Amino acid sequence: MKKDISHSEDIKLMVDEFYGKVQRNLLIGPIFIGVIKDRWPEHLEKMYKFWGSILLAENSYNGRPFPPHAQMPLQQEHFEAWLGLFLQTVDEHFEGPIADEAKMRAQNMASMFFHKIEYIRQHPNQRTI
């Protein structure tokens, strides 16, 4: 039986496993690798704080997650791949209410980011970020 996400070590496992899949993915891997370059340790640390704040109320994340994505060449298929890898990672390692919360938050984030990016593309003269 799998356990729920309950400690910072669980967040670290989830983030490390997920971004390992992302880097190997033929569709989104090159995008992430191209943007992050050699700053993977910093990016992973930021993601530990982000997900720890969301799921474990650690209040360690300080930032705005959308702006770095706003100008990236992302389409619906990229968000679907990202979400599929995230859901797969959580399901492989965890089950329970916090794992369900992680999946719901990821689904909401993917949808919101995609729609905001599409809006920006359709309204390039409006400030939305």
Side-chain angles (χ1 to χ4, degrees):
M1 183 171 164
K2 298 175 203 161
K3 67 182 199 103
D4 204 357
I5 298 168
S6 59
H7 301 301
S8 59
E9 288 304 312
D10 299 331
I11 297 291
K12 188 174 186 315
L13 172 67
M14 179 186 78
V15 168
D16 289 346
E17 291 290 316
F18 169 65
Y19 280 102
K21 288 178 175 62
V22 165
Q23 290 179 59
R24 293 185 301 273
N25 184 274
L26 297 178
L27 179 63
I28 63 174
I31 295 170
F32 275 83
I33 292 167
V35 170
I36 296 172
K37 298 182 181 11
D38 63 347
R39 298 181 317 275
W40 280 97
E42 296 90 343
H43 181 71
L44 294 175
E45 188 63 37
K46 185 182 287 189
M47 294 300 95
Y48 303 149
K49 291 176 181 178
F50 177 79
W51 286 105
S53 293
I54 289 176
L55 301 175
L56 303 178
E58 292 177 347
N59 295 322
S60 57
Y61 178 76
N62 182 8
R64 296 173 53 214
F66 179 72
H69 301 84
Q71 303 304 319
M72 294 173 69
L74 302 173
Q75 302 295 328
Q76 181 69 35
E77 65 186 357
H78 299 108
F79 287 98
E80 290 171 0
W82 179 92
L83 182 59
L85 294 174
F86 189 89
L87 299 177
Q88 177 187 17
T89 301
V90 173
D91 285 342
E92 284 174 355
H93 297 280
F94 305 102
E95 65 182 4
I98 298 175
D100 292 342
E101 174 82 6
K103 294 187 292 185
M104 185 269 303
R105 295 285 190 129
Q107 290 169 326
N108 290 345
M109 193 178 339
S111 178
M112 180 195 60
F113 278 26
F114 173 70
H115 286 97
K116 283 182 81 168
I117 287 171
E118 284 298 300
Y119 183 86
I120 289 167
R121 288 179 183 148
Q122 293 170 10
H123 304 91
N125 297 323
Q126 291 184 9
R127 183 170 178 191
T128 59
I129 300 175

